[in-house]
């Protein structure tokens, strides 16, 4: 969904318009940011915050660890917790299609 928004946003922004969008580490961040950089000349992380994986998700840690090894999600294990993050990115100056 995020890559679709990135694809279509440039067609809707005003001349000085910007796009702000969140990315969580449990998504395919590489794919999302690659798409953002293809569609916009300027992609900037404006803020990031770490958070603990909810206990309900810890039951799926084996699956998360497998897809982390494939580079599709990101998280750290420290202090007995699984730590993820959310970042907000700002895109400017869409590429002309």
């Amino acid at each position: 969904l995020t890559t679709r928004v990135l694809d279509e946003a440039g067609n809707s922004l005003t001349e000085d318009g910007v796009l702000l969008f969140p990315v969580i580490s449990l998504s395919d961040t590489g794919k999302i940011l690659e798409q953002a950089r293809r569609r916009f000349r300027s992609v900037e992380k404006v803020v990031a915050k770490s958070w603990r994986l909810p206990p309900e998700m810890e039951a799926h840690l084996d699956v998360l660890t497998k897809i982390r090894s494939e580079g599709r999600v990101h998280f750290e294990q420290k202090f007995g917790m699984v730590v993820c993050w959310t970042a907000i990115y700002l895109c400017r100056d869409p590429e002309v299609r």
Side-chain angles (χ1 to χ4, degrees):
L1 183 58
T2 303
T3 56
R4 185 172 164 200
V5 169
L6 290 164
D7 264 348
E8 297 175 9
N11 299 327
S12 303
L13 293 176
T14 61
E15 183 176 335
D16 293 328
V18 299
L19 173 67
L20 286 164
F21 68 96
V23 176
I24 68 167
S25 63
L26 297 179
S27 60
D28 192 341
T29 59
K31 178 181 176 182
I32 293 168
L33 295 175
E34 181 181 307
Q35 185 70 3
R37 291 183 180 108
R38 271 199 301 266
R39 297 296 183 208
F40 291 86
R41 291 183 184 94
S42 173
V43 178
E44 171 188 355
K45 184 185 335 181
V46 293
V47 68
K49 182 169 177 126
S50 297
W51 44 272
R52 183 178 182 172
L53 186 72
E56 307 82 42
M57 292 289 294
E58 288 180 8
H60 306 287
L61 191 54
D62 55 337
V63 174
L64 291 171
T65 301
K66 178 183 183 304
I67 59 178
R68 178 180 67 174
S69 72
E70 298 167 358
R72 295 175 23 211
V73 301
H74 305 279
F75 61 87
E76 295 181 319
Q77 292 177 279
K78 55 185 178 182
F79 310 116
M81 298 183 296
V82 176
V83 180
C84 305
W85 52 262
T86 300
I88 306 296
Y89 286 85
L90 173 87
C91 295
R92 292 187 182 104
D93 198 12
E95 293 284 341
V96 178
R97 287 200 216 167

